Each structure stands twice: as structure tokens, then as C-alpha cells.
């Protein structure tokens, strides 16, 4: 499985977020500016490097399967990374469901970096996600309150093929 041992690190600074998914396939970083709603996705797979810029409406379109997610809250709890988490079952409009554990002890300013879980009353610390035909479980292993440098949210000036979201959809077909 290509995602066994993969890591997903999330950096948050106010309304800015950056998630970095590193697997044997390569690295994909998603940088969200919660002030403007703009999103940039950096994909690095071997020698191929792409920067896909998305408007707020592009981001909504890319995540449309999660638009009407509804959560059923369970009376089941577990400790994840030192935080008490409650189980919820998310149901999508297409009938798919997924399990998530969230804590109300941490609530970020901008929850759009976890689009599928953005309507939870807290931060998801464990959740299921479908990547291709595989179901992957992401579990937080630690939470750090160390300051995140603003440069973590800077976009590269060179080395990436720049595309709009619409161009990337055509290229992906």
C-alpha cells in the first residue's frame, strides 16, 4: 500500500494553514489563505512539480462531495495525542460514510483545511478518507504549539509548472 507510513503534517497560523502529505508517491502540500479563501496545491512527484491555484469557488467545487455532510454523534470516546475525542459518523449525499474522532479542546480559526470535517464542533484528530480506491485513516500523533514561521505559507517563485484549477482538471483527464 503506497500510503502505509505516509505522514500528513498540518501547520496553522491564524487563518493560514498548510498541510503536507508525504508518501512513497511524492509530496502534496495544500496552502489555504483563510483571509482570502484562495488555495494553492503544490504537487511534487519525482521530477514533476505542479502548483495549482484555486479560487474559493474552485475549492468548493473540488470538495463538493463533502458539501452536505451530516454528522451523527456517538457516545464513544478515546484519547488521541492527549486529547479527549468523541466519535462521529459523517454521511455524504452519495450515501458513503466515514468515521471521525474530534476534540472540542482545540478549535482552529479556519477549519477549511479539513474540508470534510469543517462543520464539526472541534478539531478532527482521527478520520477516514478515501484516496483512490483505498480507505486511509489519518490519526494525529502529536500537537505542537511551537510558533510556525510565516515563510511556511510562502509560495515558491520558481521550479513549479503553474496551473489554474480548471487547467488541472483538463490535464488530469
Amino acid at each position: 500500500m503506497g500510503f502505509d507510513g505516509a505522514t500528513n503534517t498540518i501547520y496553522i497560523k491564524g487563518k493560514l494553514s498548510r498541510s503536507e502529505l508525504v508518501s512513497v508517491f511524492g509530496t502534496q502540500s495544500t496552502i489555504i489563505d483563510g483571509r482570502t479563501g484562495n488555495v494553492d496545491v503544490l504537487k511534487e512527484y519525482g521530477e514533476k512539480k505542479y502548483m495549482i491555484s484555486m479560487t474559493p469557488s474552485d475549492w468548493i467545487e473540488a470538495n463538493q462531495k463533502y458539501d452536505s455532510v451530516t454528522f451523527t454523534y456517538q457516545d464513544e470516546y478515546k484519547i488521541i495525542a492527549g486529547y479527549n475525542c468523541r466519535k462521529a459518523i459523517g454521511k455524504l449525499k452519495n450515501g458513503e460514510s466515514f468515521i471521525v474522532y474530534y476534540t472540542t479542546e482545540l478549535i482552529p480559526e479556519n477549519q477549511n483545511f479539513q474540508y470534510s470535517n469543517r462543520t464539526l464542533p472541534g478539531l478532527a484528530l482521527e478520520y477516514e478518507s478515501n484516496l483512490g480506491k483505498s480507505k486511509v485513516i489519518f490519526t494525529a500523533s502529536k500537537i505542537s504549539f511551537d510558533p510556525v514561521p510565516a515563510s511556511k505559507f510562502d509560495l515558491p517563485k520558481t521550479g513549479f509548472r503553474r496551473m489554474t484549477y480548471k487547467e488541472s482538471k483538463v490535464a488530469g483527464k
Side-chain angles (χ1 to χ4, degrees):
M1 189 59 150
F3 290 102
D4 285 349
T7 60
N8 188 26
T9 305
I10 299 169
Y11 302 92
I12 299 172
K13 185 177 189 84
K15 291 188 180 253
L16 299 171
S17 68
R18 177 183 183 125
S19 64
E20 296 177 352
L21 177 63
V22 179
S23 72
V24 296
F25 301 118
T27 301
Q28 180 170 313
S29 301
T30 303
I31 301 169
I32 301 174
D33 185 337
R35 300 166 301 196
T36 63
N38 291 330
V39 177
D40 288 280
V41 178
L42 307 173
K43 295 184 177 196
E44 301 178 57
Y45 300 107
E47 298 298 312
K48 296 180 180 179
K49 294 182 176 187
Y50 302 96
M51 182 186 329
I52 301 165
S53 297
M54 304 171 89
T55 64
S57 59
D58 291 338
W59 183 241
I60 290 168
E61 180 185 327
N63 289 286
Q64 65 186 339
K65 86 181 234 181
Y66 300 109
D67 267 355
S68 303
V69 64
T70 56
F71 289 100
T72 305
Y73 301 97
Q74 310 294 303
D75 284 326
E76 190 175 321
Y77 299 84
K78 69 177 172 177
I79 303 294
I80 300 172
Y83 293 90
N84 189 36
C85 296
R86 184 176 186 182
K87 181 179 181 179
I89 299 173
K91 187 156 181 133
L92 305 177
K93 58 188 167 199
N94 68 5
E96 289 179 39
S97 63
F98 61 96
I99 296 171
V100 60
Y101 285 87
Y102 70 95
T103 182
T104 56
E105 297 171 48
L106 299 169
I107 302 176
E109 271 185 64
N110 178 10
Q111 289 189 259
N112 274 338
F113 70 91
Q114 286 186 339
Y115 199 90
S116 61
N117 301 315
R118 74 190 186 290
T119 61
L120 285 170
L123 181 64
L125 294 184
E126 181 176 290
Y127 59 94
E128 296 176 337
S129 183
N130 290 322
L131 292 175
K133 295 182 181 180
S134 302
K135 187 167 274 205
V136 178
I137 298 174
F138 291 95
T139 305
S141 57
K142 71 176 182 174
I143 306 288
S144 169
F145 291 98
D146 293 343
V148 178
S151 61
K152 199 67 164 152
F153 308 99
D154 290 345
L155 297 174
K157 304 266 188 266
T158 61
F160 284 78
R161 178 178 170 207
R162 299 178 76 95
M163 311 173 88
T164 65
Y165 173 63
K166 289 179 183 29
E167 289 170 336
S168 74
K169 286 187 352 182
V170 171
K173 291 182 179 180

